[in-house]
Every structure is written in C-alpha cells, then in structure tokens.
C-alpha cells in the first residue's frame, strides 16, 4: 500500500469506517496437491513394485506382518528384500530400539558381505530419525565405495536428508540434483519424490541467502534457486508470480522443476488466492487489553486494505468488542454466526477464547415437516433442516487440545453430513521461543545448560518448555537460577549456580590448613556450555555484566525475545553485547522497505508502532493466513512467510512460528543468517 505520510492515518480511518461494522458484543448491531511419498526416495524396481502392491493400504504393523510371513516361504535373496522393506517401515513407525533389533536379526540371518551396505543404510536411517544427522554424513561416504549402483542412490538420498536436517539445505539441494541425474528417466515416480524433497530443502534456505548463490550461468542449480527466489519475492501477489513463472519456464524449458514443482507452485497459487467473503473479528477494543486489541485490529485492517488495493478483493468485515470478557465473547460469536460469517478471528484472552469455542456450535433450524400426513389429526412436529455449520475460527490464544475440534468428523442428523467448524489456533506463545532456543543450542552442539528465569508463572512456562525439548534432543539442564522479577542484583544466584561459593570455601580451607595467605582467583564450574535466560531488557543489562564479572564471559548466552525492547538503542543495550535471541522478523527489520506493510503501519501509528509492533504483526498475519489455512492443512511441510515468523500448521490445528535469530553487535541487533 502506498499512502502519502501526511494523509495515511486519515485515509486508513476513513476506509476502515466504510468497510467495517463495529459491533459491541453486548449490544449487537448489525485442489489438494499430492502428498509427499513417505517411503525412501529410491527403491529397486525389479521386485519392489510387487512388494508395494502387496502392502498397499495396510497400516504399518499389518504391512510388517505380511512382509515377514511372505519372506518365510521365499528364496534367500527375495526374503532379504522383503525383510529389509519391513525394517524400513519399522524405522519410520516403531521405536528405534525395535528397529535396531530387526536389523540385528537381519545381520545374524544374512551375514553375506553383499548385504552389509543395505543394513548399514538402515542403521543410518535410525540415526537420522533420532536427530543425529552429523554422525551419518562421513559414514555414508565410506559406504559408497562398497555399494551397488542401487545402493549408491539410496546413499545419496540419505545424505541429502542428513544435510538438510543438519542445517545445510543448499548442500542438500546440490546432492539431490546429483541424485536426479543418476535416477533412470524410466522411473518418473522416483524422480518426483526426489524433486519434492529438493524443493522442501530449498524452502528451508533463508531467502536472503538464495539470491547470492544464483549465477549468470544458466545451470540446473541456478535454475532451482531462481525459482525459489521468485516464490519468496511474491508470496501474496499471485498475478506478479504468474507472470514471472511464465518467464522462468521460457528460460528453463528442460529444467527438472518443470516435471512437478512448477505445477505444485501453480496449484498453491490457485488454492490460496481466495479470501473468505465474510469475516468476523472479535477483539478487546475496550478495557485493560484495549491497546493490544486495537493494535491487532489495525494490523489486520492494514493487511486487508493492502489486499483490496492489489487485487480488488471485496470482503464483508464485522468487528466485535469482546472487552476481554468471556460472556461478551460468547455473545459476539453467536452474533457472528447469525450474520453469516465464514470465519471468526479471535478472541484474544484465554477465558474469552474458551467461551467462544464453546459458543461456536451448530445451529439447528426448525422447519415444517413436509412428510406429515395432513389427513390425520396429529400435532405437527418440527423437522430439522440440514445442519448449518458454525463459522470456522482462528483464535488468537491457545487452549487445551481436549476442547478443540479438528473439523474432520462429520456431525450429522438424518438429513445432513456437514463437517464441524474447524478451530485453528494462532498466538505469540513464549513457549515457542523456549523450544526454538533449545533446538538452536542443540544444533550448535551445546548440550549442558544453565537456565535463568523469573520466579513466576511466565518463567515457569519458559523453563518447562525449554527443558523438555532440550532433554529430548540429548541436552541437560545442569543449573537453574529463579530470580525475583525486577531484581537489580543477580550475583548471589549466579555465584551459586557457577559453584563460585564452593571455590571460595575450598580456598579458605586451604589457607587455614597451610596457615598463610594464598593468591586466589575463583574457579567456576566447567560443565556449562550455554546459558539460557528469559529476562527483560533492564534485567538483561544487569545479568550479562555480572556473568562476565563472575568468570562466565566465554559461555554463549541465548535469550527469548523479551531481552529486546523492539527498538534499537545502542546507548542502553551495550551491556547486551553478543547475546543471541530469537524474535519475529518484523522486530528485526529496522528500516522496512518503502511501500511494505510494515512501513505502512509504522507511518500510520508512529506513537504506538514500536511498543505494539508484535501485535500489529499478529493482526496482519491473521489476515494473510486466511486463504492459506486449507493449503497448509494438506501440505504439512509448507509454510507462509509472515511478519511474526515462518508460519506452518501442525496436525492439531496450531499455527507454528519459526522465528528469526539475531545477536547484539555493537549494541544493535544483527540478524544471523542460519541456513536452517
């Protein structure tokens, strides 16, 4: 959207007034893409075809049983092929120890050297599933010397997957290009699986890194990068993307992406181009949450107006004030459904969300029973017309899974099979940041953490989320300091957790024993390789210097977004130097591009944008997600680039946010271009 700065705020207010009906809750006024093959990307064609037909449609346990039973009456080589396929299924669907037992049994039953490479490949697939990709890559290179032509293809596939999971998606793409060249053209299904996995890896590359790898030489690799760059540049402008795709196809007539990926991109473009025609927005526009609610509303409206400007999209929008109150939210949901809303966005407060979900039920409409025998003097009974489903919901807070409907099970009466309303959940949960901090530390090989969190509910949530994920990845929390919120002195807790007091006691004991003064430098414990903190900017500016004072300056420090105020402040943030933290992309872009949605918001609400930018971004992303939800539900590996992060959808209907990473350099946040 491009507005002259002097008239931007007035223009937005005028258009908002025309487009939306503000309704007080208490006083109402008015083509699914193919699913990626879960099997190994390459399979032998000589016997596997019949094997796949044999187990088609079976659940994993039944497929394993059928394969094992068939193997008992087969030739030795055929039996090995069948049991190997059973073990592949076991690797994907059974615990690692069970799969390892199957491999051990195969080694015992088939000790021949020509079968060793296949078994080693299966063992490495277990390592990959156990999130140990770094251990795989060198092993695979050694196996390659003894592998058959078919096994070399399996090794390339496994190596590409390991590189992607280890955080090297560009290198993974290059391996998959080599794999594609090695696959026989007579096996298009194998090529298709590899193409889809190559594209998945390419979509994990930070968009800022892709353009730098494109060369002027029109080779296959650059063609893939160029295609990814187009998709990243036009995530919401389907007309521009369509034009650029046509140009790309003209330049790359024989490129492998023309087999399935270009069609996949077009399918997504079509599937995500239609916005709901009638939206209800339920937010706390008055009361103590009103500053947040108004920021979300204005972010939502800015995105809506931008879409209207580009595409001419016409949308009916009803806005309801929930006041952060459960009963007001309940009434707003009923009013939204009565007015025919297709989807409801909100509410925000957890109690209001629970009430809204509870109120969003089916509406049974009484009607005349046309089948009644009018000649009989009976009292007419009302019949139920086909059930009209309530609106889908995208809540802005997260509730317990047990009360959330998936929308997949049909709710029926005698004359209807309409599905239930789908409930999607989208929030700025602090647990998201804790989980990603644990994953980031693990990827960097930092496995023994000291954690510092405030002694309150928020701190407990972050600690529990970080610890659970960190332990799942093989790390351990070896020290925990819970500090009082608003503390000015953290020295006592830091000394205790670094065991400096123990060092001092030992020094005094030694001086007493020797009867003389000894020069002394305290020694901190050496089993901590990362410190994770959840603290405000004010607290962080005190914690970091005290860590340095107590001999922990060499330990990397990770933090949640709470460490950053949202506005660069070099004079105040010099004491946060080198702290690594995660945050949403909009908070890490100091100077957004002219005409961008973020710039529009900054110039429209200059007095509030810095303080509430996270909530403006939440509102904008809530709107941008609406045409994407069905696509993301059917394409779990895909994501949308939003202001709050890379957005994907899990199988519980929760929007997952992949955040950006930054580090304070010269007291100013600098984005870290991780490739994963």
């Amino acid at each position: 959207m491009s507005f002259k700065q002097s008239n931007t705020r007035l223009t937005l207010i005028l258009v908002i007034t025309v487009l939306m009906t503000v309704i007080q809750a208490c006083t109402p006024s008015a083509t699914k893409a193919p699913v990626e093959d879960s099997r190994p990307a390459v399979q032998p064609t000589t016997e596997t075809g019949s094997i796949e037909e044999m187990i088609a449609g079976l659940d994993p346990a039944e497929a394993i049983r059928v394969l094992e039973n068939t193997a008992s009456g087969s030739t030795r080589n055929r039996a090995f092929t069948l049991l190997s396929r059973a073990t592949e299924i076991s690797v994907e669907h059974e615990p690692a120890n069970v799969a390892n037992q199957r491999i051990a049994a195969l080694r015992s039953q088939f000790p021949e050297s020509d079968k060793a490479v296949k078994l080693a490949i299966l063992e490495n697939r277990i390592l990959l599933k156990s999130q140990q990709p770094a251990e795989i890559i060198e092993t695979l290179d050694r196996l390659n010397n003894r592998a058959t032509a078919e096994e070399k293809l399996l090794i390339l596939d496994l190596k590409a997957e390991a590189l992607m999971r280890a955080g090297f998606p560009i290198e993974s793409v290059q391996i998959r290009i080599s794999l594609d060249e090695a696959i026989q053209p007579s096996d298009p299904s194998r090529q298709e699986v590899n193409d889809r996995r190559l594209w998945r890896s390419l979509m994990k590359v930070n968009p800022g890194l892709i353009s730098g790898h494109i060369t002027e030489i029109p080779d296959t690799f650059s063609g893939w990068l160029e295609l990814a760059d187009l998709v990243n540049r036009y995530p919401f402008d389907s007309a521009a993307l369509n034009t650029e795709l046509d140009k790309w196809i003209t330049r790359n007539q024989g490129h492998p992406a023309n087999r399935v990926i270009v069609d996949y991109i077009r399918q997504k473009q079509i599937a995500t181009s239609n916005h709901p025609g009638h939206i209800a927005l339920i937010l706390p526009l008055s009361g103590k949450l009103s500053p947040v609610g108004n920021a979300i509303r204005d972010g939502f409206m800015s995105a809506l107006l931008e879409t209207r400007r580009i595409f001419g999209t016409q949308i009916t929008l009803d806005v309801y004030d929930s006041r952060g109150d459960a009963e007001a939210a309940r009434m707003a949901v009923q009013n939204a459904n009565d007015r025919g809303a297709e989807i409801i966005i909100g509410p925000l407060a957890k109690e209001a969300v629970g009430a809204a979900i509870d109120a969003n039920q089916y509406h049974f409409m009484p009607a005349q029973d046309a089948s009644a025998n009018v000649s009989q003097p009976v009292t007419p009974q009302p019949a139920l017309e086909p059930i009209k489903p309530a609106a889908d919901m995208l809540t802005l807070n997260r509730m317990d899974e047990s009360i959330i409907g998936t929308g997949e099970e049909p709710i029926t009466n005698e004359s209807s099979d309409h599905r239930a309303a789908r409930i999607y959940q989208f929030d700025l949960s602090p647990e998201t940041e804790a989980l990603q901090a644990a994953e980031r530390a693990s990827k960097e090989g930092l496995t023994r953490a000291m954690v510092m969190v405030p002694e309150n509910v928020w701190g407990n949530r972050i600690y529990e989320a970080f610890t659970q994920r960190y332990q799942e990845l093989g790390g351990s929390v070896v020290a925990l300091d819970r500090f009082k919120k608003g503390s000015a002195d953290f020295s006592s807790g830091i000394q205790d957790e670094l065991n400096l007091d123990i060092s001092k006691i030992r020094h005094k004991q030694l001086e007493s024993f020797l009867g003389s003064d000894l020069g002394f430098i305290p020694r901190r414990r050496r089993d901590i390789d990362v410190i994770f903190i959840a603290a405000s900017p004010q607290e962080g500016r005190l914690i970091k210097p005290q860590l340095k004072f107590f001999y922990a300056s060499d330990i990397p420090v990770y933090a949640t977004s709470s460490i950053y105020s949202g506005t660069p402040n070099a004079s105040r943030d010099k004491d946060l130097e080198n702290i690594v933290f995660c945050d949403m992309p909009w908070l890490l872009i100091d100077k957004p591009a002219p005409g961008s949605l973020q710039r529009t918001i900054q110039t429209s609400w200059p007095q509030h944008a810095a303080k509430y930018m996270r909530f403006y971004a939440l509102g904008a992303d809530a709107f941008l997600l609406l045409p994407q939800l069905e696509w993301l539900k059917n394409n779990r590996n895909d994501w949308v680039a939003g202001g709050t992060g890379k957005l994907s959808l899990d199988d519980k209907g929760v929007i997952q946010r992949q955040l950006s990473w930054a580090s304070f350099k010269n007291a100013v946040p600098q984005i870290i271009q991780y490739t994963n």
Side-chain angles (χ1 to χ4, degrees):
M1 182 181 297
S2 177
F3 297 106
K4 292 182 179 179
Q5 185 168 346
S6 60
N7 293 325
T8 299
R9 185 176 179 83
L10 178 60
T11 302
L12 276 172
I13 292 172
L14 288 173
V15 180
I16 289 171
T17 303
V18 173
L19 282 181
M20 73 179 183
T21 304
V22 178
I23 306 176
Q24 298 298 328
C26 295
T27 310
S29 64
T31 316
K32 183 176 175 180
V35 177
E36 182 182 323
D37 193 336
S38 63
R39 293 174 293 164
V42 265
Q43 287 287 342
T45 57
T46 54
E47 293 185 313
T48 303
S50 60
I51 290 176
E52 297 310 318
E53 292 171 7
M54 182 191 311
I55 61 176
L58 300 179
D59 64 46
E62 183 66 12
I64 290 172
R65 188 189 66 80
V66 169
L67 290 168
E68 289 177 338
N69 288 345
T70 307
S72 64
S74 301
T75 63
R76 186 168 182 78
N77 284 337
R78 176 67 169 172
F80 180 77
T81 302
L82 290 162
L83 293 174
S84 296
R85 182 70 183 105
T87 305
E88 288 170 354
I89 297 172
S90 174
V91 169
E92 293 300 321
H93 299 284
E94 294 183 325
N97 63 320
V98 175
N100 275 318
Q101 289 171 7
R102 293 185 184 279
I103 293 175
L106 280 173
R107 282 195 184 281
S108 176
Q109 188 176 352
F110 300 94
E112 299 93 324
S113 59
D114 63 336
K115 295 177 174 56
V117 172
K118 173 67 173 179
L119 294 174
I121 290 171
L122 290 173
E123 288 175 329
N124 279 282
R125 287 188 61 197
I126 294 174
L127 287 175
L128 189 63
K129 184 183 178 183
S130 302
Q131 302 297 325
Q132 302 176 62
E135 298 182 22
I136 296 173
I137 298 169
E138 291 185 8
T139 303
L140 292 176
D141 289 336
R142 291 195 296 269
L143 287 177
N144 206 54
N145 297 328
R146 297 181 287 133
T148 64
E150 186 60 48
E151 288 168 344
K152 286 181 179 180
L153 297 181
L154 292 169
I155 288 170
L156 280 174
D157 176 60
L158 187 54
K159 185 174 182 179
E161 190 70 14
L163 283 166
M164 192 271 289
R165 296 196 191 186
F168 302 97
I170 286 183
E171 290 77 2
S172 175
V173 168
Q174 292 171 322
I175 294 293
R176 290 208 175 275
I177 290 173
S178 300
L179 176 56
D180 178 68
E181 293 169 352
I183 295 172
Q184 293 297 320
S186 59
D187 198 351
S189 62
R190 185 181 297 181
Q191 289 178 322
E192 179 177 335
V193 172
N194 187 58
D195 288 345
R196 291 187 183 281
R197 292 183 176 177
L198 185 156
W199 186 248
R200 181 192 62 186
S201 293
L202 200 48
M203 288 293 95
K204 286 188 174 291
V205 180
N206 190 300
L209 296 178
I210 288 179
S211 58
H213 284 78
I214 299 174
T215 65
E216 295 182 3
I217 302 173
D219 59 0
T220 301
F221 181 48
S222 282
W224 280 111
L225 294 174
E226 203 180 328
L227 187 61
D229 188 52
L230 291 179
V231 171
N232 289 328
R233 276 194 285 138
Y234 304 104
F236 304 112
D237 192 342
S238 57
L241 177 59
N242 200 45
T243 299
E244 294 301 322
L245 272 178
D246 289 340
K247 294 178 183 178
W248 183 92
I249 292 170
T250 300
R251 294 192 304 270
N252 298 273
Q253 294 286 342
H255 195 276
N258 286 304
R259 289 191 293 247
V260 293
I261 298 304
V262 169
D263 185 55
Y264 169 84
I265 294 169
R266 291 199 190 278
Q267 285 182 49
K268 180 179 180 180
Q269 177 188 12
I270 293 169
T272 60
S273 61
N274 293 321
H275 284 78
H278 191 166
I279 302 170
L281 188 60
I282 302 176
L283 291 168
L285 303 178
S286 60
K288 64 180 181 180
L289 291 176
S290 60
V292 171
N294 281 285
I296 295 172
R297 179 202 61 192
D298 294 341
F300 186 93
M301 287 303 307
S302 297
L304 186 154
L305 294 173
E306 177 77 349
T307 299
R308 186 187 187 199
R309 182 184 69 82
I310 295 173
F311 303 111
T313 306
Q314 297 299 316
I315 295 172
T316 299
L317 177 66
D318 296 335
V319 180
Y320 299 81
D321 182 8
S322 68
R323 307 193 306 271
D325 174 73
E327 185 57 33
R330 187 188 304 276
M331 292 180 64
V333 167
Q334 292 172 349
N335 294 330
N337 277 303
D338 289 344
R339 286 177 53 81
E342 297 172 44
I343 190 164
I344 295 169
I345 312 300
L348 178 65
K350 190 175 284 286
E351 297 79 6
V353 170
I357 291 173
D358 183 60
N360 200 42
Q361 303 299 320
Y362 283 82
H363 294 248
F364 291 84
M365 305 296 292
Q368 293 297 323
D369 186 355
S371 65
N373 186 343
V374 295
S375 65
Q376 301 297 322
V378 296
T379 303
Q381 297 294 321
L384 293 178
E385 286 185 355
I387 302 170
K388 178 185 177 183
D392 290 342
M393 293 185 71
L394 176 64
T395 68
L396 300 180
N397 209 322
R398 195 178 305 185
M399 300 299 295
D400 184 87
E401 296 169 12
S402 62
I403 67 170
I404 303 298
T406 65
E408 301 305 313
E409 304 82 1
I411 306 297
T412 65
N413 65 7
E414 294 179 356
S415 59
S416 175
D417 60 353
H418 286 272
R419 67 165 177 81
R422 293 193 178 102
I423 308 296
Y424 303 98
Q425 300 179 85
F426 182 31
D427 67 358
L428 303 182
S429 164
E431 285 90 342
T432 296
E433 301 178 19
L435 294 174
Q436 290 179 37
E439 291 165 0
R440 182 79 263 152
S442 179
K443 287 174 182 176
E444 298 299 321
L446 307 172
T447 60
R448 299 181 68 80
M450 172 179 166
V451 176
M452 299 182 68
V453 295
E455 193 175 20
N456 55 26
V457 173
W458 180 80
N460 289 340
R461 288 170 60 188
I462 289 178
Y463 167 70
E464 290 172 4
F466 176 87
T467 301
Q468 180 178 341
R469 184 60 178 146
Y470 197 50
Q471 290 174 345
E472 288 173 353
L473 297 171
S476 59
V477 174
V478 297
L480 170 63
D481 176 29
R482 297 183 188 271
F483 56 83
K484 295 290 185 182
K485 189 68 177 171
S487 295
D489 185 4
F490 300 87
S491 60
S492 177
I494 291 174
Q495 288 187 82
D496 288 347
E497 300 309 324
L498 293 178
N499 287 352
L500 290 175
D501 283 342
I502 294 175
S503 179
K504 291 176 181 177
I505 290 171
R506 288 173 178 166
H507 169 251
K508 289 181 179 179
Q509 289 174 338
L510 186 58
E511 282 187 329
S512 176
F513 178 75
L514 296 175
S516 61
D517 291 333
L518 299 174
F520 173 64
I521 297 177
R523 295 179 181 273
R524 66 165 174 84
R525 60 191 296 175
R526 295 295 173 182
D527 61 341
I528 295 172
D529 54 20
V530 64
I531 297 172
F532 172 61
I533 64 176
S536 67
Q538 294 81 6
E539 291 163 341
R541 293 172 191 137
L542 296 170
I543 289 173
K544 189 64 164 55
Q546 289 181 39
L547 286 171
K548 181 178 180 180
F549 181 80
F550 291 115
Y551 313 101
S553 60
D554 59 326
I555 304 177
V557 178
Y558 285 57
T560 63
S561 67
S562 61
I563 200 74
Y564 179 46
S565 66
T567 303
N569 191 332
S571 62
R572 300 191 66 193
D573 290 342
K574 58 182 180 296
D575 286 327
L576 300 178
E577 192 72 6
N578 294 325
I579 290 181
V580 176
F581 68 100
C582 55
D583 209 335
M584 59 178 64
W586 273 16
L587 268 293
L588 299 177
I589 301 173
D590 182 33
K591 296 179 180 179
S596 67
L597 188 56
Q598 184 181 358
R599 174 66 70 86
T600 297
I601 289 171
Q602 285 182 341
T603 55
S604 300
W605 294 279
Q607 295 180 340
H608 300 95
K611 184 175 181 180
Y612 294 106
M613 183 55 75
R614 289 184 172 88
F615 297 102
Y616 284 110
L618 178 64
D621 280 0
F623 178 81
L624 296 174
L625 273 169
L626 296 183
Q628 307 278 344
L629 290 171
E630 187 70 17
W631 176 267
L632 293 175
K633 184 171 76 71
N634 294 322
N635 296 270
R636 300 293 189 200
N637 289 320
D638 209 348
W639 51 270
V640 176
T644 62
K646 290 182 179 179
L647 309 175
S648 59
L649 187 67
D650 69 15
D651 58 1
K652 297 180 179 64
V654 176
I655 302 297
Q656 299 292 333
R657 296 188 302 124
Q658 185 68 41
L659 301 169
S660 298
W661 285 90
S663 176
F664 286 96
K665 298 296 181 184
N666 297 319
V668 176
Q670 300 291 322
I671 294 176
I672 302 173
Q673 298 284 12
Y674 291 124
T675 57
N676 59 330

